[in-house]
Amino acid sequence: MDREQLMGYVRNQMPERRWLHTQGVMETAVRLAKQYGADPEKAELAALLHDLAKYWPIDKQREMVRVHGLYPDMLDYDDVLLHAHVGAYVAKTELGIEDEEVLDAIRFHTSGREEMTLLDKVICLADYIEPGREFPGVDGIRRLAERSLEEALIAGFDSTIRYLIAQGKKIYPLTVLTRNSLIDQLR
Ligand code: DGI
Ligand code: FE
Ligand code: FE
């Protein structure tokens, strides 16, 4: 599929407001990629595809994670974690995306991972700060993003972890390891 076909495919998987979010992540990811020396084309592609499975039925997402062995430990945590892995799987097996860097950036955009690549960081941060995002502290993260990918991401994960604690939810351990790894990278 070419770029136009992929855009049409993704747009069909989600409501209009999520498509607007996707376009915001694409713009922001390209800008961050240029600023920090990542590949803008890969950033745009990963951003386009990152939430493609977000609105798929949860039963279908759980089934795919189980059947295809995609990080099955996620099944014990919040269902919202699943769409990242399902999205990467669909991008590879149905949309013909072969670039493992792009697939990993999709796969780990929600949880993060230890030793995130530059592209992983660009996608994860763009997802936090795209222009349509509104949550307490987002402007502070936008300012941090002007000087440090790592500092901005730590602030993003801090806000996610605080939210999960406030809701009495479990925290996926890889998210904690991701934050630890980012803090180590600042030393
Ligand atoms: O898909 P998006 O809404 O654009 O953003 P996302 O893929 O980063 O999903 C973020 C949501 O995931 C956020 O509302 C918090 C929720 N979540 C639930 N458990 C965890 C989690 N996020 C992380 N990083 N770690 C968790 O354990
Ligand atoms: Fe997402
Ligand atoms: Fe997103």
Side-chain angles (χ1 to χ4, degrees), residues 62-171:
R62 294 184 72 83
E63 177 76 359
M64 287 179 71
V65 165
R66 217 169 39 74
V67 170
H68 303 297
L70 316 173
Y71 273 57
D73 67 329
M74 275 189 319
L75 293 167
D76 296 330
Y77 296 90
D78 199 315
D79 286 334
V80 79
L81 293 164
L82 303 170
H83 75 281
H85 292 260
V86 171
Y89 180 82
V90 171
K92 183 175 178 132
T93 59
E94 290 179 36
L95 306 180
I97 307 300
E98 290 172 352
D99 187 327
E100 289 294 335
E101 268 181 73
V102 170
L103 295 171
D104 277 342
I106 299 168
R107 191 172 284 131
F108 297 107
H109 84 264
T110 307
S111 61
R113 61 167 164 170
E114 288 184 280
E115 308 298 332
M116 289 172 87
T117 65
L118 185 57
L119 191 66
D120 292 350
K121 289 175 182 175
V122 162
I123 298 304
C124 190
L125 182 56
D127 198 14
Y128 273 115
I129 66 171
E130 64 91 3
R133 280 284 200 215
E134 289 173 28
F135 60 87
V138 69
D139 284 326
I141 300 173
R142 289 186 176 117
R143 277 192 295 277
L144 286 172
E146 291 167 22
R147 67 158 198 251
S148 165
L149 278 178
E150 290 77 21
E151 285 182 57
L153 278 170
I154 291 165
F157 283 111
D158 284 357
S159 112
T160 299
I161 290 169
R162 271 195 296 268
Y163 161 83
L164 292 171
I165 290 172
Q167 299 281 313
K169 291 190 176 179
K170 294 205 279 191
I171 300 166

Side-chain angles (χ1 to χ4, degrees), residues 114-115 150 154 177-187:
E114 288 184 280
E115 308 298 332
E150 290 77 21
I154 291 165
L177 295 176
T178 302
R179 179 175 175 278
N180 289 347
S181 166
L182 290 164
I183 290 172
D184 284 342
Q185 288 170 43
L186 285 184
R187 294 179 175 208

Side-chain angles (χ1 to χ4, degrees), residues 21-88:
H21 162 73
T22 296
Q23 290 173 291
V25 178
M26 289 168 73
E27 266 170 45
T28 306
V30 169
R31 178 169 61 75
L32 290 173
K34 287 180 179 162
Q35 184 182 343
Y36 287 102
D39 182 328
E41 285 185 22
K42 291 187 188 205
E44 193 194 50
L45 181 60
L48 169 60
L49 300 176
H50 83 286
D51 275 341
L52 77 87
K54 180 94 179 180
Y55 289 86
W56 287 19
I58 292 299
D59 286 350
K60 176 170 175 172
Q61 294 188 43
R62 294 184 72 83
E63 177 76 359
M64 287 179 71
V65 165
R66 217 169 39 74
V67 170
H68 303 297
L70 316 173
Y71 273 57
D73 67 329
M74 275 189 319
L75 293 167
D76 296 330
Y77 296 90
D78 199 315
D79 286 334
V80 79
L81 293 164
L82 303 170
H83 75 281
H85 292 260
V86 171

